[in-house]
Amino acid sequence: MTQRIAVVTGGMGGLGESISTKMADAGYKVVVTYSPSNTKYRSWLDEMKAKGYGFAAYPVDVADFDDCAAKVAQMGKDVGPIDILVNNAGITRDMTFKKMSKEDWDAVMHTNLDSCFNMTKQVMDGMSARGWGRVINVSSVNGQKGAFGQTNYSAAKAGIHGFTKALALEVARRNVTVNTISPGYIGTKMVTAIPREILDTKILTQIQVNRLGKPDEVAGLIIYLCSEEAAFVTGANISINGGQHMY
Ligand code: CAA
């Protein structure tokens, strides 16, 4: 079988690095996208190269439809048609609703939710025409249960699953699966940026396995969803949260 091509948005980030490397280990040709404001992309690529990973990488503003269209067209020319899309890029702008500005709301909606449309739109016709594809949208436990200080993030992450379910219906007959995964609190920079006291007293106390999740645990689930064996899983929202919330 020819090597499948996977795009991981935010592929250099806390979760993204694990997803990208595990997917490469699993035999996929992995293309990572990174934020155009990321000044450390070159050193990340060098570090990965030293570890034996030759990623193709593109700066993509996932909040910008035209940028996604241009960059994904370029990937198609440089690397080939995209079989797997992992919509992983995301940001937080945590604050109580009282303090939240329209700009904080818009930034999170555009980057975390519009991005799923902006990126998936570029690849879905090709997947459908070729009769095989996988789209994995990375949501969050906080899209399922809500989180203090995250009206913007919880709304965007909940929206992702509506998108997943509707699109899964439309493309199931083309052998394209569309799924959501909803990680809980994983030990990445996004989570360790939470004030220590809040993390210890309000969050860790809810996690039944009594620890943060590991990025590799999330990546392992994505590898499964990409596999042939997962062809019957579509429109699902799979929780991976250490028992914090059972949905
Ligand atoms: N549950 C209940 N009460 C909470 C709370 C929580 N999770 N977080 C804060 N509070 C309470 C505080 O204890 C405080 O109460 P008192 O006034 O009685 O002391 C009150 O809310 C105000 O808290 P702060 O003084 O901290 O207010 P702030 O405006 O400075 O910060 C905040 C508020 C930004 C929400 C901050 O508390 C915070 O960062 N909380 C964590 C938010 C969070 O969980 N983010 C997840 C990031 S990781 C992620 O998003 C990945 C993923 O998908 C899981």
Side-chain angles (χ1 to χ4, degrees):
M1 194 170 60
T2 53
Q3 190 182 32
R4 296 212 192 273
I5 299 172
V7 172
V8 181
T9 69
M12 299 182 181
L15 267 185
E17 178 178 314
S18 231
I19 298 167
S20 306
T21 52
K22 278 239 172 210
M23 291 193 72
D25 292 343
Y28 300 106
K29 169 80 189 159
V30 178
V31 181
V32 302
T33 81
Y34 58 95
S35 162
S37 65
N38 180 345
T39 52
K40 298 190 182 139
Y41 73 93
R42 177 54 52 205
S43 61
W44 185 87
L45 286 169
D46 290 345
E47 191 191 316
M48 288 298 126
K49 203 166 188 184
K51 291 182 180 169
Y53 296 103
F55 294 118
Y58 295 80
V60 182
D61 179 359
V62 293
D64 180 332
F65 183 85
D66 293 339
D67 196 41
C68 292
K71 301 292 171 47
V72 175
Q74 192 60 46
M75 289 172 202
K77 284 185 198 139
D78 298 344
V79 187
I82 291 148
D83 303 299
I84 298 167
L85 171 64
V86 184
N87 282 313
N88 165 69
I91 59 168
T92 53
R93 290 236 185 139
D94 292 356
M95 63 199 79
T96 52
F97 184 68
K98 195 177 170 58
K99 294 181 187 166
M100 192 174 290
S101 68
K102 175 81 164 73
E103 198 207 340
D104 297 318
W105 171 268
D106 286 343
V108 170
M109 294 305 283
H110 293 330
T111 301
N112 294 11
L113 180 57
D114 292 1
S115 56
C116 292
F117 177 83
N118 295 344
M119 286 299 294
T120 309
K121 189 73 181 160
Q122 316 309 329
V123 300
M124 187 48 74
D125 286 351
M127 289 179 183
S128 296
R130 292 188 301 278
W132 197 95
R134 299 280 187 266
V135 177
I136 295 139
N137 297 316
V138 180
S139 178
S140 164
V141 65
N142 292 342
Q144 299 171 307
K145 71 167 192 54
F148 194 105
Q150 287 199 309
T151 47
N152 49 4
Y153 187 88
S154 297
K157 293 296 191 179
I160 285 178
H161 193 51
F163 172 77
T164 291
K165 289 188 286 186
L167 185 58
L169 288 174
E170 293 183 18
V171 298
R173 270 169 292 180
R174 304 280 176 199
N175 281 326
V176 179
T177 68
V178 187
N179 289 291
T180 303
I181 65 162
S182 289
Y185 285 73
I186 311 298
T188 64
K189 253 197 288 176
M190 191 182 267
V191 167
T192 50
I194 298 170
R196 190 71 231 182
E197 202 215 328
I198 300 288
L199 190 62
D200 287 344
T201 62
K202 310 276 191 209
I203 294 168
L204 280 169
T205 49
Q206 299 174 352
I207 304 175
Q208 302 306 315
V209 302
N210 207 25
R211 64 169 174 85
L212 296 176
K214 298 176 188 160
D216 278 0
E217 292 170 326
V218 176
L221 176 57
I222 291 175
I223 299 293
Y224 165 69
L225 288 171
C226 293
S227 69
E228 299 305 321
E229 290 79 2
F232 206 54
V233 182
T234 196
N237 184 359
I238 304 181
S239 298
I240 175 162
N241 64 35
Q244 183 183 5
H245 180 70
M246 300 181 192
Y247 189 60

